[in-house]
């Protein structure tokens, strides 16, 4: 149970200000919480620091963080916790969720939002290098295919063609691509 002591009234009171549970700038050893207890609350998680989660899984905590007012430190703290627990897969999910949230917070038609969305689709904000390799292979094959089908006008002066006029060999198409 989270509480604070008031100097005028020494009895324990919940940490709620203006209908909001305030955990901002709080440092604790572990958080003992059940998701259903926090589901209806608006919680300020800005700069909440902890070294353990009890009663809630990191994925449930991530879901909860996604539903709250944006606080980037909450994502960074969860990623640090996942890293300390030896869960690099969860750390990656948390950092991707942070990037998606940052993108969602940008104005709808802004240039940066469009750029970040493309970055998400292509390499998942840099957290999926395999996607970059797949995109490179896909673009190379696409260019090679275009050159094989209709590339005779572009390569006439560059490569000596060994086939009939207007045709390009697959090897030459891949080389050009």
């Amino acid at each position: 149970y989270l509480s604070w002591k008031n100097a005028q009234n020494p009895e324990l009171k919940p940490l709620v200000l203006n209908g909001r549970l305030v955990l901002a700038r709080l440092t604790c050893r572990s958080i003992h919480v059940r998701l259903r207890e926090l589901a209806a609350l608006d919680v300020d998680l800005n700069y909440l620091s902890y070294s353990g989660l009890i009663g809630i899984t990191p994925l449930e905590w991530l879901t909860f963080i996604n539903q709250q007012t944006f606080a980037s430190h909450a994502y960074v703290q969860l990623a640090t916790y996942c890293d300390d627990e030896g869960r690099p897969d969860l750390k990656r999910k948390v950092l991707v969720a942070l990037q998606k949230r940052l993108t969602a917070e940008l104005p709808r038609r802004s240039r940066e939002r469009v750029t970040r969305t493309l970055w998400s689709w292509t390499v998942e904000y840099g957290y999926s290098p395999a996607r970059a390799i797949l995109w490179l292979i896909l673009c190379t094959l696409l260019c090679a295919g275009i050159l094989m089908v209709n590339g005779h006008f572009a390569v006439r002066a560059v490569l000596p063609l060994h086939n009939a006029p207007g045709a390009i060999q697959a090897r030459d198409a891949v080389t050009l691509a």
Side-chain angles (χ1 to χ4, degrees):
Y1 182 75
L2 293 169
S3 61
W4 62 285
K5 283 192 176 185
N6 186 342
Q8 288 97 9
N9 188 1
E11 70 184 54
L12 294 176
K13 304 251 185 201
L15 285 168
V16 177
L17 295 173
N18 297 328
R20 191 165 193 219
L21 179 62
V22 179
L23 300 178
R25 292 175 173 65
L26 178 71
T27 301
C28 59
R29 179 151 178 85
S30 60
I31 297 175
H32 300 258
V33 69
R34 288 182 198 88
L35 191 57
R36 68 178 182 270
E37 294 171 355
L38 292 177
L41 291 174
D42 183 24
V43 182
D44 184 359
L45 297 171
N46 211 8
Y47 298 102
L48 168 67
S49 297
Y50 53 89
S51 58
L53 290 173
I54 299 173
I56 190 168
T57 67
L59 284 177
E60 289 173 333
W61 189 246
L62 177 61
T63 302
F64 178 72
I65 290 171
N66 281 331
Q67 296 168 352
Q68 299 305 310
T69 304
F70 178 66
S72 63
H73 186 268
Y75 291 93
V76 174
Q77 178 63 39
L78 181 56
T80 303
Y81 170 74
C82 292
D83 195 34
D84 291 345
E85 292 292 311
R87 299 288 308 270
D89 56 326
L90 282 179
K91 178 183 176 184
R92 186 180 152 279
K93 277 186 180 182
V94 171
L95 293 174
V96 168
L98 169 61
Q99 295 298 328
K100 286 183 180 181
R101 186 73 184 262
L102 285 169
T103 302
E105 295 291 321
L106 293 170
R108 256 187 137 26
R109 297 185 193 265
S110 70
R111 181 176 166 203
E112 186 176 356
R113 184 174 179 147
V114 171
T115 303
R116 290 181 64 83
T117 302
L118 291 173
W119 190 26
S120 168
W121 292 344
T122 55
V123 292
E124 200 169 30
Y125 302 105
Y127 294 107
S128 292
R131 274 196 196 178
I133 294 168
L134 289 175
W135 276 105
L136 180 64
I137 291 170
L138 179 69
C139 289
T140 302
L141 292 176
L142 181 67
C143 289
I146 290 171
L147 287 172
M148 283 178 60
V149 172
N150 201 14
H152 61 279
F153 64 90
V155 295
R156 196 175 322 209
V158 180
L159 288 175
L161 297 176
H162 304 289
N163 291 348
I168 186 168
Q169 290 182 348
R171 183 191 69 223
D172 295 335
V174 171
T175 302
L176 282 174

